[in-house]
Amino acid sequence: MKQQQSTMLAALWMGASVLSLILMAISGRATTRVLDVLQVMEMRSVTGLLMLTPFVYMAGGLRAMRTQRLPEHIGRNAAHYIGQAGWLFALTLIPLAELISIEFTTPIWTALLAAAFLGERLTRSRIAAIALGILGVIVIMRPSLETLQLGHVVVLAAAVVFGISFTMTKSLTRTESALRIMFWMLVLQSIFGAIPALLVWRPVPMEIWPWIVLIAFSGSFSHYCMARALAHADATVVMPMDFVRLPLSALVGWLLYAEQIDIFTACGAALILSGNLLNLNRKRNKDSIVAEVP
């Protein structure tokens, strides 16, 4: 499915994805205080699939969701589910700051995998954007230089698996609509997570259901927005924009949970934003030059 290449549209869709991920984090914190993470993941997938049903119907029903690339959908969602499981396991082993620092190497793996398997170019501006983003993450999180622990290895592996998932999403956008990608994500992740969720299942209190609905909506919508963003620009352009989620999450933490923002967070956010602006301006200037050629 051919899409018009537009960095601006990709940025807008990725901005909506980042906002959705922040809402998912807020609702996820509320739900996991009461329910097991595996149960929350399963309820999110099933509820999200129910919410998606009217849109599937308007798009032509299950016939419109037929795909010739089911193995790729299975591979992409298996990778994503494994990455989530690894991330959660690592969360029990190492401090959150160290985990997030390593997790944000995902755009590096995505960019490298996209260059290796999708033929995307690693231009100087894209490399600079990635480098500034990683430097900003290091400044904000100030990861420990102590001996590597099992949790570090696990979350690094999860970041690589997330990179595989995002790269496969980009490949799927070449022939699959964002709605179809989302449909198969929710169906397959519901299947993958059914047995693990049943093993830890417990009754859901009524006050948790609004949070379940929010996490289902925001989690599913974030993937839809990311798929749309990847349809409008290369993965090496889109994924560094995800770095903006880190300073925004810090702001939300300060507003909702009284988590302080220090000078390191401010400096890291400036580096991250500078890298993204460099990448976006470079691509926009290039597009302007090409547009002026007869």
Side-chain angles (χ1 to χ4, degrees), residues 128-147:
I130 292 171
L132 285 170
I134 290 294
L135 180 59
V137 170
I138 293 173
V139 170
I140 291 175
M141 294 302 178
R142 306 184 296 283
S144 173
L145 298 179
E146 297 176 357
T147 305

Side-chain angles (χ1 to χ4, degrees), residues 9-273:
L9 286 175
L12 290 174
W13 280 114
M14 198 59 189
S17 177
V18 168
L19 178 60
S20 297
L21 288 170
I22 291 174
L23 290 174
M24 186 178 71
I26 295 171
S27 54
R29 175 172 285 189
T31 53
T32 53
R33 286 174 177 170
V34 179
L35 304 174
D36 188 273
V37 170
L38 294 176
Q39 181 177 351
V40 172
M41 288 172 58
E42 180 66 9
M43 294 182 69
R44 167 197 155 188
S45 297
V46 173
T47 305
L49 186 58
L50 292 174
M51 296 170 67
L52 190 69
T53 300
F55 298 96
V56 172
Y57 176 79
M58 288 187 292
L62 293 178
R63 179 174 297 181
M65 297 299 105
R66 290 179 180 176
T67 178
Q68 301 297 319
R69 303 184 65 182
L70 184 59
E72 288 93 333
H73 282 286
I74 294 174
R76 181 251 172 178
N77 286 289
H80 191 266
Y81 189 86
I82 292 171
Q84 284 185 318
W87 191 91
L88 292 169
F89 176 61
L91 185 60
T92 67
L93 300 175
I94 58 176
L96 181 60
E98 296 177 15
L99 182 140
I100 293 178
S101 297
I102 300 173
E103 178 205 352
F104 265 81
T105 62
T106 295
I108 296 295
W109 309 122
T110 303
L112 294 176
L113 288 166
F117 296 104
L118 302 182
E120 296 186 4
R121 295 179 56 196
L122 280 176
T123 63
R124 291 182 180 179
S125 61
R126 292 176 181 178
I127 293 174
I130 292 171
L132 285 170
I134 290 294
L135 180 59
V137 170
I138 293 173
V139 170
I140 291 175
M141 294 302 178
R142 306 184 296 283
S144 173
L145 298 179
E146 297 176 357
T147 305
L148 195 65
Q149 302 177 31
L150 175 61
H152 297 145
V153 177
V154 172
V155 73
L156 182 60
V160 175
V161 174
F162 280 139
I164 295 172
S165 172
F166 292 144
T167 304
M168 294 183 74
T169 301
K170 173 59 180 177
S171 176
L172 285 168
T173 61
R174 293 176 173 177
T175 59
E176 306 284 89
S177 67
L179 180 62
R180 190 182 299 164
I181 291 172
M182 220 169 104
F183 171 79
W184 283 108
M185 180 195 78
L186 294 172
V187 168
L188 292 171
Q189 300 239 356
S190 296
I191 295 172
F192 296 155
I195 293 178
L198 287 175
L199 295 175
V200 297
W201 196 271
R202 57 168 296 181
V204 182
M206 288 299 299
E207 64 271 16
I208 295 299
W209 277 106
W211 294 111
I212 293 292
V213 173
L214 179 59
I215 196 174
F217 172 79
S218 57
S220 301
F221 189 63
S222 68
H223 283 270
Y224 176 82
C225 293
M226 185 176 293
R228 291 298 301 269
L230 289 169
H232 287 292
D234 289 348
T236 45
V237 173
V238 171
M239 294 318 300
M241 299 177 192
D242 189 43
F243 285 122
V244 178
R245 178 162 49 100
L246 191 56
L248 289 180
S249 297
L251 178 61
V252 169
W254 175 69
L255 291 173
L256 298 184
Y257 309 114
E259 298 173 356
Q260 297 300 311
I261 301 177
D262 56 22
I263 186 64
F264 294 99
T265 301
C267 292
L271 287 168
I272 292 168
L273 293 175

Side-chain angles (χ1 to χ4, degrees), residues 157 222 255 269 286 288 292:
S222 68
L255 291 173
K286 182 179 177 181
S288 298
E292 292 173 358

